[in-house]
Amino acid sequence: MKIETQSRRVLFIYGAVAVFLLCFPFINDSRSLLILFTQIFIFAVFAMSYDILLGYTGIVSFGHAMFFGIGAYSTGVFLKQFDHTMVVLILSVLFGIVFAGIVSYFVGLLSLRLKSHFYAMLTLAFAGLFLVAAEKWRTITYGNDGFTFRIPELLKDRMVLYFITLAVMILVFIGLRRFTESPVGRVLQAIRENEARTESLGYQVIHYKIIASIVAGVIASISGSMYVLTLRFVNTSVFKMDVTLDALLMTIIGGVGTLVGAIIGAGLIEFAHHWLTDLAKVHWIFERWIIFFGILYILVVMFFPAGIVGTTRGWMIKYKAKKIEKKQKKKHEIAG
Amino acid sequence: MDALITLSINGLATGMLIFLLAAGLTLIFGLMDVLNFAHGGLFAWGAYAGVWFYMTTESFLVGILCAIITGLALGFLTERFIIKPVYGNHIQQILITLGLMLVLSEMLKVVWGPNQLSAQTPSYLSGSWEIGNVILIKYRLFIIIVGFLVFFLVHYILKNTKIGLIVRAGVMNKEMVQALGINIKKVFMYVFMVGSAMAALGGVLLGPYSGVIYAEMGLEFAILAFIVVVIGGMGSIKGSLFAAILVGLSGSFMAYYVPALSLAVNMLLMAIVLIFRPQGLFGVKG
């Protein structure tokens, strides 16, 4: 797969999309689209971090919202309790990263020794614990109602926020690509394919799984920090199951095991969310848009387990193979 | 002393409700090796269907029956259309049943509206007995009795009847049982339906116990059930009973004596069990 993703044409497309996104605010002055795109970038980062677990290591986590929430709350609390300056903001993001790293280390240590399904259940329970903590620790979190806070002057401009989130997304994309193609990333993929064999090759599987869980947790925390920056508000919903589900849907629909898939999935889901919520004015059933997503999701898992990117890639490979075959046939014909 | 008994009964009643949910979960997992994350959805559907029929017909028995039928029907549909294509693939099972969970809990809101449904205790089960200073609430005793009945029934069927024998043999070696002329797929389908019906029963019993039911409770209770299954050991009915009682009791005692810890106590229990016995208290290492 490596040869394919690194083909020049693909790199060219990535570059073109990046340039387009960089120019976008200057071409289009629709505010709501700008905000929607910012949202997509943030969730793309979150979905990519989830894909490190699900797509590259083959572990299902139902508690990824926990790390998103950690980032969200550390930024929110820091900006509220201290001062709304850039320094505090950066400190808060760093705090979130360190905290998410520690939590993911311990959660991983405690539960990654178990089989995949236990891990899924345990992460669900851990995330539940964080949700409860956020609801009960009212002096800092203001419970269920959440709180608003002020953000640094510079970030009040939507345009600046757009560029920052875009930059973070691109950086995370490049970083995670390097990570997945590094020796560690290769071992993770080996674990996904065949855990027992990887173990018998002498790799400490648990060790690598914990690394994956820390990387995923840290990146998710960054996306959480950015998320509350755009809202200037944080409440316990960041710890809810729905957040994890969003990431799951994005990766599955986009294509597990591909970082681009996570980005495309994030774009699709956010757009669909946007439109379907608008459609609620037309017919009340669209207010329950989760049903459509749920059904779509079940169908995708059943019939297109590779997602959009994976499926198209499969087609491309088949197409190329056919082309080569045809060429060879022609050669044979000429020779014969 | 009196407080101790009252707390124990409360804890036991909650524990039994969780047991009904966890038992179905562990039955399906232990026997069919299927992870059902939609179990909480089936539980919530049982609760809504049961309570709705109970409130309209004003007969609690009809409500219970309707819940069980709903559970059986949904179990059938789930097994047939959702689980069947993903047998043998854990990750796909987790993902697909989670999708189903989403659909189920949103469908609840479509059918019965987004608001919560309230349920009263039927007259013959409301009220309490007083023995000395100990107050025995009838409905809680009723739940405890139902829970134990279900446990003994399932245990008896699995250990002492021919059907149980077939199921256990099917777990050991599917192909062999199939070769003996028994349709093991059908047997597994029935197991799944029974597990779903148990969840639905737990749901409808919860109605009068907590007074209100709401769509999100499926997930809430499913988390508790998962914790119980992990503590008890995957696939062990006995383990689930024991762990459910443990979770119920510790929850009720902690809520009384150390309220601050009450929400975290389940997690702590699970963490401790996992550290010392990753396979669960009654689980078999494998």
Side-chain angles (χ1 to χ4, degrees):
Chain A
M1 216 176 260
K2 190 178 177 184
I3 305 156
E4 231 196 322
T5 47
Q6 288 201 326
S7 79
R8 260 195 204 162
R9 199 187 297 166
V10 174
L11 278 182
F12 177 75
I13 293 172
Y14 290 166
V17 171
V19 170
F20 169 74
L21 287 175
L22 277 172
C23 301
F24 180 77
F26 304 108
I27 311 165
N28 188 312
D29 53 357
S30 155
R31 219 175 119 75
S32 67
L33 259 182
L34 199 69
I35 294 171
L36 182 63
F37 267 111
T38 312
Q39 204 81 340
I40 289 174
F41 300 152
I42 293 167
F43 276 100
V45 171
F46 187 49
M48 279 192 280
S49 80
Y50 193 79
D51 203 24
I52 292 294
L53 286 178
L54 179 69
Y56 284 92
T57 325
I59 36 187
V60 182
S61 160
F62 282 159
H64 212 50
M66 176 162 66
F67 303 114
F68 189 78
I70 285 174
Y73 264 98
S74 39
T75 295
V77 168
F78 266 63
L79 290 179
K80 173 99 180 170
Q81 303 287 337
F82 304 117
D83 197 13
H84 51 281
T85 59
M86 263 333 239
V87 181
V88 174
L89 173 65
I90 290 165
L91 273 179
S92 81
V93 175
L94 286 178
F95 177 81
I97 287 173
V98 172
F99 191 45
I102 294 171
V103 170
S104 59
Y105 175 72
F106 279 107
V107 171
L109 199 64
L110 202 62
S111 44
L112 274 172
R113 289 184 296 157
L114 308 164
K115 286 186 189 150
S116 58
H117 40 273
F118 281 106
Y119 183 74
M121 287 180 193
L122 285 186
T123 47
L124 187 67
F126 275 116
L129 198 65
F130 268 88
L131 177 62
V132 168
E135 257 165 28
K136 297 288 158 189
W137 198 3
R138 298 193 75 89
T139 44
I140 286 197
T141 62
Y142 298 87
N144 208 2
D145 309 327
F147 56 90
T148 54
F149 53 86
R150 299 172 63 169
I151 59 172
E153 280 312 312
L154 177 68
L155 297 179
K156 282 196 176 143
D157 188 357
R158 288 280 169 195
M159 199 96 114
V160 176
L161 216 49
Y162 174 92
F163 284 118
I164 288 180
T165 48
L166 177 61
V168 171
M169 181 183 83
I170 292 173
L171 283 178
V172 166
F173 176 70
I174 294 170
L176 285 184
R177 236 170 95 102
R178 303 212 72 170
F179 173 69
T180 53
E181 277 165 15
S182 71
V184 178
R186 293 282 157 201
V187 177
L188 293 181
Q189 288 170 47
I191 292 171
R192 176 190 67 192
E193 295 304 331
N194 192 333
E195 193 170 333
R197 191 173 288 173
T198 316
E199 184 121 49
S200 70
L201 282 174
Y203 290 105
Q204 278 279 340
V205 167
I206 169 85
H207 185 78
Y208 284 93
K209 276 184 170 176
I210 290 178
I211 292 178
S213 122
I214 292 174
V215 169
V218 163
I219 306 271
S221 156
I222 296 175
S223 67
S225 290
M226 292 195 302
Y227 177 71
V228 292
L229 264 188
T230 59
L231 289 186
R232 304 177 197 182
F233 168 75
V234 58
N235 72 353
T236 50
S237 68
V238 290
F239 279 121
K240 287 237 165 86
M241 184 76 194
D242 311 22
V243 178
T244 307
L245 282 176
D246 273 345
L248 231 165
L249 288 175
M250 287 164 187
T251 25
I252 295 262
I253 287 176
V256 283
T258 60
L259 293 170
V260 197
I263 298 178
I264 292 175
L268 270 179
I269 298 251
E270 284 299 315
F271 259 109
H273 188 166
H274 191 73
W275 283 328
L276 288 174
T277 323
D278 271 353
L279 276 180
K281 289 171 210 146
V282 184
H283 192 279
W284 62 270
I285 191 88
F286 289 108
E287 216 167 287
R288 302 261 88 87
W289 54 275
I290 298 228
I291 293 177
F292 301 112
F293 266 158
I295 292 170
L296 178 71
Y297 167 80
I298 290 174
L299 292 177
V300 167
V301 173
M302 239 187 237
F303 299 110
F304 302 98
I308 293 171
V309 172
T311 311
T312 35
R313 245 184 215 171
W315 284 340
M316 294 259 272
I317 291 172
K318 258 189 204 160
Y319 177 73
K320 266 182 195 163
K322 246 186 203 168
K323 235 181 175 178
I324 293 171
E325 212 176 284
K326 254 187 196 169
K327 250 186 201 167
Q328 276 175 341
K329 241 186 200 171
K330 247 184 196 170
K331 259 186 197 169
H332 273 289
E333 270 166 21
I334 293 166
Chain B
M1 190 61 206
D2 300 337
L4 274 183
I5 294 174
T6 312
L7 285 176
S8 304
I9 288 174
N10 286 353
L12 262 180
T14 327
M16 280 307 164
L17 282 177
I18 305 169
F19 165 72
L20 284 175
L21 195 57
L25 204 63
T26 206
L27 196 69
I28 292 167
F29 180 80
L31 301 181
M32 304 160 65
D33 198 30
V34 166
L35 278 160
N36 184 15
F37 272 86
H39 210 64
L42 300 170
F43 171 78
W45 265 85
Y48 266 78
V51 166
W52 189 77
F53 271 105
Y54 160 46
M55 288 331 263
T56 40
T57 61
E58 289 183 356
S59 160
F60 192 46
L61 265 179
V62 172
I64 290 180
L65 263 174
C66 285
I68 291 176
I69 292 168
T70 309
L72 288 173
L74 280 177
F76 171 74
L77 293 174
T78 307
E79 204 273 349
R80 190 85 180 60
F81 295 107
I82 306 287
I83 308 279
K84 217 166 209 179
V86 293
Y87 267 126
N89 186 337
H90 273 159
I91 289 191
Q92 280 211 331
Q93 281 167 14
I94 296 175
L95 298 176
I96 210 163
T97 52
L98 192 78
L100 181 67
M101 174 81 198
L102 267 185
V103 175
L104 282 179
S105 54
E106 281 296 308
M107 282 303 275
L108 272 180
K109 292 183 197 162
V110 172
V111 178
W112 282 287
N115 298 328
Q116 47 194 27
L117 233 59
S118 60
Q120 282 136 18
T121 321
S123 55
Y124 49 92
L125 285 175
S126 54
S128 55
W129 291 302
E130 251 178 82
I131 303 171
N133 280 328
V134 180
I135 299 163
L136 299 172
I137 296 170
K138 278 186 200 168
Y139 190 73
R140 292 194 177 153
L141 291 177
F142 169 71
I143 289 178
I144 295 172
I145 291 166
V146 172
F148 272 112
L149 271 180
V150 169
F151 168 72
F152 284 119
L153 199 68
V154 172
H155 202 254
Y156 178 80
I157 290 175
L158 274 181
K159 290 273 140 82
N160 296 325
T161 63
K162 198 171 171 221
I163 304 168
L165 188 72
I166 293 171
V167 170
R168 280 183 296 140
V171 175
M172 293 272 194
N173 192 335
K174 231 184 251 180
E175 285 76 23
M176 184 62 88
V177 177
Q178 187 82 31
L180 288 173
I182 293 155
N183 191 346
I184 193 72
K185 280 181 189 159
K186 218 167 215 168
V187 173
F188 277 175
M189 192 183 80
Y190 292 137
V191 170
F192 195 92
M193 284 165 70
V194 169
S196 311
M198 280 161 81
L201 176 65
V204 71
L205 289 182
L206 176 81
Y209 180 70
S210 70
V212 285
I213 52 172
Y214 44 96
E216 284 78 23
M217 74 178 192
L219 196 65
E220 263 169 51
F221 269 79
I223 292 177
L224 270 181
F226 285 140
I227 293 178
V228 161
V229 169
V230 170
I231 293 178
M234 278 275 201
S236 162
I237 297 273
K238 233 191 278 173
S240 290
L241 179 74
F242 185 78
I245 293 174
L246 192 69
V247 164
L249 284 181
S250 60
S252 105
F253 276 95
M254 281 295 176
Y256 188 73
Y257 291 109
V258 203
L261 257 181
S262 67
L263 286 160
V265 67
N266 298 326
M267 294 293 308
L268 290 177
L269 260 178
M270 183 173 70
I272 293 166
V273 168
L274 277 177
I275 291 166
F276 294 107
R277 255 186 94 84
Q279 72 272 35
L281 293 177
F282 287 75
V284 189
K285 205 159 192 170

